Amino acid sequence: MKSFIWNIKVLLFLLPIIVLGQTPKKEYAKLSYDELRDLYFANEKNKTVQEQCAQAYLAKASKENIPIRKAKANYQFALLYYKTDTNKAIMYLDSVIKYSQNTGDKFFPAGAYCEKADLLKKQFKFKEALMNYNLAEKTAFKTNIDYYYIVREYVGTTKSEDLGDFKEALDIYKECYKYYKSKDVRSSKYARDYQSIIFGIADCYKSLHNIDSTTYYNKLGYRESHITKNEEYKYLFVLNEGANQVVGKNYKVGLDSINKALPKMIEYNNTLNVLAGYYYLGKAYEGLGKKILATENFIKVDSINNVTKEITTEFIDGYPYLISYYKNLGDKENQLKYITAYMEIDSTLQKNYKELNKLVHKEYDIPRLISDKEALIESLGKDKIKTYWGLVFLFLITIGVGGFGIYQYKLKKRYRSRFKKIMKETAMIGDNEIELNNEKEIKIAETKIDVGIAEELVNQILEKLDDFEKRKGYLESNITVQMLSTTFETNSKYVSKIVNVYKGKTFTQYINDLRVEYAVTLLQENKMLRKYTIQALALEFGFNNAESFSTAFYKKTGIKPTYFIKELDSVV
């Protein structure tokens, strides 16, 4: 859903901003309303200045007794508390509504009703939220018909995404669609809202499993967003069509679309649709019977949910799959981990989405989950008792090591030095190649090396290895020298020997180094990846588990990936 704050700022406040310097507090009273507003929004990272601007704005409005100015001052206070204190923000929005009644303003009180509805939704008070949307509709219908249909879209989004009432949401979206069709839908004024409505219609049809209608509107949205050069929306429609094909069990077609769109969602930091992309990749691989790939993608969904805590009922089916997968492997710890995560989601649904609980209980009822969880905890507890005395012994040894603190200090210093070296070397090397710790691959251009293989065949294999690196084939988690040799249509012994001689390392080390080099580059470029767990990152870069990723990363760089990410966050 589009953020309403974004719309209000665009429509009301983000006029050409006069960037003012830091104004002494005593001088604020001399500024005009427009200057105070501009100074407020020019200091979005300085809450102290914003509060002083809002206070000056309110004082000026109160002195002159202008109701709509009082309303806009209270709106500025509401924005200050929007993310930190929901109840306080609602209190200020109520003041906005009070002062803007019957003023004839184009955006208030309709905008304040919508803001309040959005905050009530965050508190899972959907009935009250819809009541406020309804009040916004009534006001906007009289003062700003364009904004009326924006509010109608918010109602449709609440019905579909929060309450699961797809048929009613579809009727609302079609009402908005009819309105926008009477406008210039390719103008900057209407294009984005029109495309958003098309996406809402397509998404509802997808949820109702109407595959053909979903495809029709996804294609329409793709065409419109392409014409208006809205790349994010264009790939959002590609992603939605991929998900639609997965719902229709056309798994390979779905995979193709999702793999095209997902990198763009990551690029635009569209977190919730990144989660959606990984979820539908998981469902596609599940449908194709590729259990490991399905598991990898469902783990990524969980990793993102651990950060955002915003997973919806549409994307929770991966948890029963993970529970069953690890149960069949006899992996009690991971089975317990995902049972616990699944139960936490159910608890949220029980509390906030009571009418949707049937979706959670489709495969696992809660009493069964509780029983399984208790049994796993008991089993793991017995395993831990067996190692208790060993842990005590290790603890005593640790206490006895007097130089532990000194060792840690030196280790930290060494890690920091290695991190700086990595950053320096990365900055000096082009986009297509990364060399860490001054390790250079052995590349022979004109010098002939007798490896017991025909020179022509050697050159062919080297060219294929170069192409393999360029298309990042090393990210496939199950790649082996035998598989690569089959792809190259040659003998595995030849490939292994050429890698040994010309790359100066074993095949396994060659693959792992390429993955680590790619990880170093991507982690610097993509902040969102740094939020992933090490397990999810391992899968992202072609490793089978967190341990193998960490080991390879340390062997290549001399530091652990957790330390590298932590240092990146502190400097980048």
Side-chain angles (χ1 to χ4, degrees):
M1 175 177 176
K2 293 177 296 182
S3 167
F4 179 73
I5 289 183
W6 182 88
N7 278 287
I8 283 291
K9 287 183 181 179
V10 170
L11 296 173
L12 179 60
F13 290 107
L14 290 187
L15 301 172
I17 290 178
I18 302 169
V19 181
L20 302 175
Q22 292 295 321
T23 305
K25 185 175 181 180
K26 63 182 179 180
E27 299 295 326
Y28 288 163
K30 297 179 180 180
L31 300 178
S32 68
Y33 288 115
D34 287 347
E35 287 172 331
L36 286 169
R37 177 203 62 195
D38 292 340
L39 185 59
Y40 178 95
F41 285 108
N43 287 276
E44 290 189 355
K45 294 183 179 180
N46 191 330
K47 298 302 179 185
T48 300
V49 171
Q50 285 194 314
E51 187 170 5
Q52 290 170 354
C53 289
Q55 288 171 348
Y57 198 110
L58 181 58
K60 186 177 180 70
S62 298
K63 183 179 180 180
E64 298 175 4
N65 196 25
I66 304 175
I68 190 61
R69 292 296 185 183
K70 292 180 184 178
K72 291 180 179 180
N74 278 281
Y75 178 73
Q76 291 181 9
F77 279 113
L79 291 184
L80 278 172
Y81 295 103
Y82 202 88
K83 293 182 179 180
T84 58
D85 191 335
T86 300
N87 290 327
K88 204 165 186 177
I90 289 175
M91 180 188 74
Y92 281 113
L93 288 171
D94 284 335
S95 295
V96 176
I97 293 166
K98 171 186 172 182
Y99 289 118
S100 60
Q101 292 286 357
N102 303 316
T103 60
D105 188 81
K106 197 174 182 180
F107 300 105
F108 290 125
Y113 281 125
C114 267
E115 295 272 16
K116 184 177 177 181
D118 190 53
L119 290 171
L120 288 167
K121 282 172 59 177
K122 294 180 187 297
Q123 296 178 333
F124 304 100
K125 297 177 181 178
F126 297 109
K127 185 176 180 180
E128 292 180 48
L130 287 171
M131 287 173 60
N132 277 272
Y133 280 136
N134 184 248
L135 291 169
E137 288 175 326
K138 289 179 179 178
T139 306
F141 191 77
K142 298 175 184 177
T143 60
N144 187 343
I145 195 64
D146 283 342
Y147 192 63
Y148 168 79
Y149 282 100
I150 289 175
V151 179
R152 289 294 287 160
E153 181 185 357
Y154 293 157
V155 175
T157 302
T158 303
K159 293 280 187 181
S160 62
E161 294 185 3
D162 296 309
L163 301 178
D165 194 345
F166 304 113
K167 290 183 179 179
E168 189 170 344
L170 191 57
D171 289 340
I172 294 170
Y173 286 140
K174 286 186 174 181
E175 174 193 337
C176 297
Y177 178 79
K178 183 178 180 181
Y179 172 75
Y180 286 121
K181 286 293 288 183
S182 68
K183 305 295 180 182
D184 181 4
V185 295
R186 290 172 185 170
S187 67
S188 58
K189 183 176 181 180
Y190 293 108
R192 190 176 184 90
D193 291 324
Y194 175 56
Q195 291 161 27
S196 183
I197 287 296
I198 295 173
F199 182 83
I201 293 173
D203 208 42
C204 279
Y205 275 129
K206 184 189 74 184
S207 298
L208 294 169
H209 291 198
N210 189 328
I211 308 302
D212 292 340
S213 293
T214 304
T215 296
Y216 172 82
Y217 284 100
N218 279 331
K219 287 182 177 179
L220 174 61
Y222 179 90
R223 183 168 65 250
E224 291 297 321
S225 55
H226 178 72
I227 291 171
T228 58
K229 298 180 180 180
N230 187 338
E231 187 180 59
E232 183 175 7
Y233 261 61
K234 183 174 76 173
Y235 282 99
L236 192 58
F237 283 109
V238 173
L239 177 64
N240 201 44
E241 182 57 23
N244 180 47
Q245 293 301 321
V246 172
V247 171
K249 298 184 179 181
N250 298 315
Y251 300 120
K252 291 183 178 180
V253 176
L255 282 172
D256 182 63
S257 293
I258 296 169
N259 283 322
K260 288 177 181 176
L262 187 54
K264 290 294 181 180
M265 294 299 103
I266 294 172
E267 179 183 332
Y268 284 106
N269 202 25
N270 193 330
T271 307
L272 294 184
N273 281 303
V274 171
L275 183 149
Y278 286 132
Y279 171 77
Y280 281 107
L281 282 178
K283 294 299 289 183
Y285 286 124
E286 178 186 355
L288 292 170
K290 297 184 177 183
K291 296 181 180 180
I292 294 177
L293 291 173
T295 301
E296 289 175 359
N297 283 283
F298 288 140
I299 287 174
K300 291 176 184 178
V301 171
D302 177 65
S303 181
I304 295 173
N305 178 53
N306 286 336
V307 176
T308 65
K309 301 297 182 185
E310 292 183 13
I311 196 168
T312 66
T313 52
E314 181 180 358
F315 306 121
I316 62 175
D317 279 354
Y319 286 96
Y321 187 90
L322 290 172
I323 293 167
S324 296
Y325 177 80
Y326 285 111
K327 182 178 181 179
N328 291 335
L329 288 180
D331 187 337
K332 296 178 183 178
E333 290 192 4
N334 275 314
Q335 187 186 353
L336 177 60
K337 174 183 176 180
Y338 293 111
I339 284 177
T340 302
Y342 193 46
M343 288 179 66
E344 287 176 357
I345 292 171
D346 178 80
S347 176
T348 301
L349 297 179
Q350 288 272 12
K351 181 179 178 182
N352 303 316
Y353 298 88
K354 292 181 180 178
E355 64 272 35
L356 301 179
N357 281 342
K358 59 183 180 288
L359 296 176
V360 182
H361 298 155
K362 182 170 64 174
E363 294 190 51
Y364 281 84
D365 58 67
I366 293 304
R368 176 185 167 188
L369 283 174
I370 293 173
S371 176
D372 287 350
K373 181 178 179 180
E374 290 176 348
L376 284 167
I377 291 172
E378 182 180 355
S379 176
L380 289 169
K382 289 178 180 178
D383 292 340
K384 288 178 181 178
I385 289 172
K386 294 177 182 178
T387 61
Y388 173 76
W389 289 110
L391 289 173
V392 170
F393 179 70
L394 290 173
F395 175 74
L396 292 173
I397 291 176
T398 303
I399 292 296
V401 178
F404 182 72
I406 297 173
Y407 168 77
Q408 286 287 72
Y409 170 78
K410 290 182 177 179
L411 182 64
K412 186 176 181 180
K413 188 175 180 181
R414 188 161 62 248
Y415 269 30
R416 182 61 186 170
S417 174
R418 289 172 179 172
F419 174 80
K420 289 181 178 178
K421 193 173 183 180
I422 292 170
M423 297 298 288
K424 182 179 179 181
E425 291 176 355
T426 303
M428 293 174 61
I429 298 174
D431 292 333
N432 296 322
E433 182 181 3
I434 294 177
E435 296 178 355
L436 301 175
N437 298 327
N438 292 325
E439 292 178 0
K440 296 183 178 179
E441 294 181 348
I442 302 171
K443 293 187 176 181
I444 305 299
E446 298 179 352
T447 306
K448 298 178 181 179
I449 298 178
D450 185 9
V451 293
I453 306 172
E455 182 182 348
E456 183 180 352
L457 181 57
V458 169
N459 290 333
Q460 288 177 1
I461 293 174
L462 285 173
E463 287 177 4
K464 289 178 180 180
L465 283 173
D466 185 56
D467 179 66
F468 169 75
E469 293 175 16
K470 287 179 180 177
R471 60 183 173 81
K472 299 180 177 61
Y474 49 80
L475 294 180
E476 294 183 25
S477 60
N478 57 347
I479 191 72
T480 63
V481 68
Q482 288 78 15
M483 290 175 60
L484 196 60
S485 301
T486 301
T487 305
F488 288 0
E489 298 179 341
T490 189
N491 190 306
S492 62
K493 291 182 179 179
Y494 291 170
V495 174
S496 180
K497 192 166 186 178
I498 288 172
V499 168
N500 291 162
V501 175
Y502 285 85
K503 304 296 181 180
K505 56 191 77 175
T506 65
F507 182 80
T508 300
Q509 186 182 354
Y510 167 65
I511 294 296
N512 285 345
D513 283 356
L514 288 172
R515 290 170 175 170
V516 172
E517 289 167 0
Y518 181 66
V520 168
T521 301
L522 213 59
L523 285 169
Q524 290 181 64
E525 295 174 351
N526 191 335
K527 292 182 179 180
M528 203 185 85
L529 275 178
R530 300 176 209 159
K531 298 177 182 178
Y532 287 16
T533 62
I534 297 300
Q535 175 68 15
L537 287 174
L539 299 175
E540 184 76 19
F541 298 124
F543 294 92
N544 290 319
N545 52 62
E547 184 179 358
S548 60
F549 173 50
S550 294
T551 301
F553 197 97
Y554 183 83
K555 187 174 182 180
K556 180 68 176 171
T557 66
I559 58 177
K560 293 288 186 180
T562 49
Y563 178 84
F564 182 67
I565 292 169
K566 181 180 177 182
E567 289 300 301
L568 276 179
D569 285 334
S570 69
V571 299
V572 178

